Structure formats: C-alpha cells, structure tokens
Amino acid sequence: MSIPFNIPPCTGEEIKYVQEAINNRKISGDGDFTKRCSEWLEEKFHAQKVLLTTSGTTALDMALLLCDLQPGDEVILPSFTFSSTATAAVLAGARLVFVDVRPDTMNIDEKKIEDAITEKTKAVIVVHYAGVACEMDTILDIARRHNLKVIEDAAQGIMSTYKGRPLGTIGDFGCFSFHETKNYSMGEGGALVINDDTYNLRAEILREKGTNRSAFFRGEVDKYTWVDFGDSYLPSELNAAYLWAQLLHAEEILNNRVESWSFYKNELQFIENEGKVELPYVPIDCEHNGHMFYLKLESLNERTKFIDYMRGHGIYCVFHYVPLHSAPAGRKYGRFAGEDIYTTKESERLVRLPLYYGMSEHDRALIVSRIKEYFV
C-alpha cells in the first residue's frame, strides 16, 4: 500500500452537477454553473467582482494585463514561487525583479521590497505560500507610497485570512487556483478577484476574446463586437459544475484539511523542539486553510535521504519550487535585487507531506509514525 502526496478533492456530488450542465445543453463558458460559482465566491469573501478563469495562471495573466504595463516596466515578486507568477508578468511585457523571502513563512520579505523599487517599478506580486498570508499592511503601505499595483497570487490561499480579511480581496487583484492539487478543484481552473470596479468592463472584454459579449448578454448593448485586445479565459461549464459541488461543501473540506494539518503539527512538535526539523509558522494575524504541511530539514542532502526513506515505505513526500531566479527563463527575463540569503537555502530544505481532503486517520498516523522512526 502507498500513500500519495495528493488526491484531487471529490465530494461525491460532482457527477450530478456535471450531468445537470449537460442536460442544460450549455457546456461552454459563463453558463449557470459559472455564475453560481462566481456569485458564491463574491458573497463568501465580500468581493467586488469575481470572474472564473481557465486556470490560476490565466487569472494572473489577466491581472497583469489589466495593469497596463509598458515595455521596460518592472514587477517585483518572490523567486520562491511557481513559474506562473513570473510568466504572467513577462506576458504583460514586464521585467522581473526577484526579492528574498522570509524564512519563517517562505513569503516575500516585505522589508526587502522598497529597496528593489526603481522608477520603472509598476507592480508587486505577493504569493501567499501554503495559504499563509504575506504581511499585507506593510506591503500595501509601500505600494500606496510608490503608486504601485498589488496582485495577490492566492493560488494556495482560498479561505485563508489576514487580520480577518479574505486573501485575494486585499490588493488590487487576487488570483485563485482550482487545479487538482488545490483545496477546491475543477481539474484545471481559477478565478480573478477584481477589487476596483473601474476594471470590471475591461476585464470582461479581456476574458471574452476582446468582445463586449458580457455586456450584450446583460442587455447593455444591442449587439456585441470586437472592441479591444482579449483572449479566451472562460472555463467550461463542465468544470464549473465540478467546482460547484465542492463549494457547497467548502467548510467541510476546509475543516477536514485543517484537522489533518493540526494533527501533523501536534504530533511532530517535539521533533522541532529537539531541533531536528522546523515546522510551518503561522503569524498571529493569519488564519490558514490547511493547504500544505511541510518540514524543513537540516540540508538538501538530509532532505533527499528523508524523501527516499519515506518513499521506501510507500509514502510520497515531495520537495517544492526551485527558485525562479536560478532558472534559465528567470535569468533571461529578470534579476535578483539584493542578496539571496534565504530563498535558495530554505527551498533546498523544504519537503511537503501528503495532505488532502478525506485523508484517513490511519494514513496520517502511519505517516507520523514513519517520520518519528526516521528522526527518533
């Protein structure tokens, strides 16, 4: 028997709603299920506007395109993130400026942002790693003083909060992912949160192949036509129907994941107390969503040995991002501002444990048992 790193979430009602979408004879984008999901997200998070997208990546693409970046403009972001965070800025024509992360949360170090700002800087992308919020008050203050846009890459952060505010609703734009590895999934999918209504119409046009089709369906124009640059960022109704089944059980999924996360934390705390590992840190102002549980080991070599040991016992633990500034595209499209004190070093120590909705008590107890055998 083996324990996978991830099992895509499934509540058991997905087929029912997918079949309903088929019966509705409307399976392309912006049908009934797309509207249900968007409205649910808007109401749940008190969000001004939410548009479902084909992925978290395309949500980021839209956010950066809405920033109206010009050639030579710069965007500040962490290097410890997935390529999508960077490619969205590159697609919009920007140069990348990577800054170091905080070792405690693996989020962008808010104290390093201001030193990275130049006259070309136009935006900051923050990544809420593992569903734990960045220090948003400080970041928003910096952005306000320097007239910068703030984009929240909240791919891992849905249902998490910062000082009571839902992640994704704090900056100018927020981006969620509904990939199969996320807390809520539609296979491939995402959502863009727009926190300033002056961008609503432009976002709809951008999402609808450059047409004003959304306004037409609302009866605001008598015909729709091509009015501006755009692309196709609408997910299928089949995907939205799958997601709807999970949003209806959002609290159940959240509580289940947090329960598994807390089990790991409680059972492994003594190993951290003995100085053998570091466990995730959640600042007091942050409420997380149980997206990820990781350990930080002594070194890259120790992490490799640990992963091999666990996989030898059928438990699939995995490392995470290789810092983008060290990748070929990172060197091509950007630069690292300041010193890489923690990004590379901490990324080489980090290993993620299996964590998914519906994980059995037996499996998580077995995982903890193997970890204790390794360290004790």
Side-chain angles (χ1 to χ4, degrees):
M1 187 188 73
S2 64
I3 301 175
F5 170 70
N6 177 66
I7 296 177
C10 182
T11 68
E13 296 184 334
E14 285 79 2
I15 296 299
K16 178 178 75 173
Y17 291 116
V18 170
Q19 186 62 57
E20 185 178 326
I22 295 170
N23 294 344
N24 289 343
R25 299 182 179 180
K26 167 66 175 175
I27 61 172
S28 62
D30 271 350
D32 181 57
F33 283 104
T34 302
K35 293 174 183 175
R36 289 191 209 179
C37 292
S38 296
E39 290 173 359
W40 188 96
L41 293 164
E42 288 171 355
E43 292 174 8
K44 180 68 176 178
F45 304 132
H46 305 289
Q48 187 275 138
K49 181 78 169 178
V50 176
L51 297 173
L52 285 196
T53 61
T54 51
S55 66
T57 302
T58 53
L60 284 162
D61 289 347
M62 288 184 65
L64 270 297
L65 290 169
L66 289 168
C67 290
D68 290 324
L69 301 174
Q70 302 301 312
D73 286 348
E74 295 179 345
V75 173
I76 294 171
L77 70 162
S79 176
F80 186 68
T81 183
F82 191 56
S83 60
S84 298
T85 315
T87 58
V90 173
L91 175 68
R95 293 290 296 174
L96 308 174
V97 178
F98 300 110
V99 298
D100 210 1
V101 295
R102 294 170 43 158
D104 56 355
T105 62
M106 298 301 289
N107 286 333
I108 191 168
D109 188 339
E110 67 279 2
K111 296 183 177 67
K112 302 294 179 64
I113 293 174
E114 200 146 22
D115 287 343
I117 295 173
T118 71
E119 70 278 1
K120 298 178 180 179
T121 308
K122 294 298 186 293
V124 179
I125 308 176
V126 301
V127 180
H128 302 300
Y129 186 69
V132 176
C134 298
E135 178 41 57
M136 293 305 296
D137 281 352
T138 301
I139 293 166
L140 291 175
D141 176 65
I142 293 169
R144 185 166 51 250
R145 287 188 285 104
H146 292 273
N147 194 29
L148 307 178
K149 297 295 184 187
V150 175
I151 297 95
E152 294 178 76
D153 183 340
Q156 302 170 10
I158 189 167
M159 301 288 278
S160 295
T161 63
Y162 170 80
K163 296 186 177 179
R165 300 180 63 185
L167 301 191
T169 69
I170 304 171
D172 294 283
F173 303 101
C175 303
F176 295 134
S177 172
F178 299 120
H179 185 264
E180 72 166 37
T181 58
K182 301 304 187 290
N183 292 24
Y184 310 99
S185 177
M186 52 200 288
E188 295 277 359
L192 173 66
V193 182
I194 304 168
N195 297 317
D196 181 345
D197 63 6
T198 60
Y199 291 97
N200 288 357
L201 180 58
R202 176 73 185 91
E204 289 180 342
I205 292 169
L206 178 61
R207 180 171 171 265
E208 268 280 21
K209 304 94 172 167
T211 74
N212 57 353
R213 187 167 179 261
S214 295
F216 169 72
F217 283 137
R218 289 194 298 269
E220 296 170 1
V221 294
D222 60 359
K223 60 184 177 181
Y224 75 87
T225 187
W226 182 27
V227 295
D228 202 346
F229 170 78
D231 210 320
S232 182
Y233 295 130
L234 282 70
S236 160
E237 271 292 282
L238 302 178
N239 297 66
Y242 191 100
L243 176 63
W244 179 244
Q246 300 187 11
L247 296 183
L248 292 177
H249 294 270
E251 294 294 334
E252 173 190 331
I253 293 171
L254 171 68
N255 293 337
N256 181 263
R257 294 188 68 111
V258 171
E259 180 184 349
S260 292
W261 189 99
S262 299
F263 177 82
Y264 281 144
K265 179 75 169 177
N266 293 334
E267 291 292 320
L268 300 175
Q269 185 63 57
F270 80 96
I271 302 178
E272 180 178 54
N273 294 344
E274 293 176 354
K276 297 176 180 177
V277 299
E278 291 179 26
L279 304 182
Y281 167 72
V282 181
I284 192 169
D285 290 328
C286 303
E287 186 172 337
H288 72 93
N289 60 0
H291 175 68
M292 180 197 309
F293 196 94
Y294 58 83
L295 309 177
K296 285 187 184 178
L297 282 72
E298 183 180 348
S299 63
L300 173 60
N301 180 61
E302 187 65 26
R303 182 183 73 178
T304 301
K305 287 165 54 179
F306 175 80
I307 291 174
D308 290 345
Y309 175 85
M310 297 296 282
R311 290 192 177 185
H313 288 88
I315 300 169
Y316 284 79
C317 300
V318 297
F319 57 84
H320 214 181
Y321 312 124
V322 175
L324 296 183
H325 74 279
S326 63
R331 295 191 294 271
K332 178 179 179 181
Y333 294 115
R335 60 182 173 83
F336 199 98
E339 188 178 353
D340 172 11
I341 300 173
Y342 295 113
T343 299
T344 299
K345 181 178 73 171
E346 297 299 308
S347 69
E348 291 179 344
R349 301 170 55 211
L350 189 147
V351 57
R352 297 176 289 162
L353 306 184
L355 201 166
Y356 44 84
Y357 170 60
M359 174 181 279
S360 71
E361 293 182 13
H362 172 272
D363 283 358
R364 68 191 189 193
L366 179 59
I367 292 167
V368 165
S369 176
R370 293 301 185 193
I371 293 172
K372 289 177 179 178
E373 288 176 6
Y374 182 85
F375 285 105
V376 177

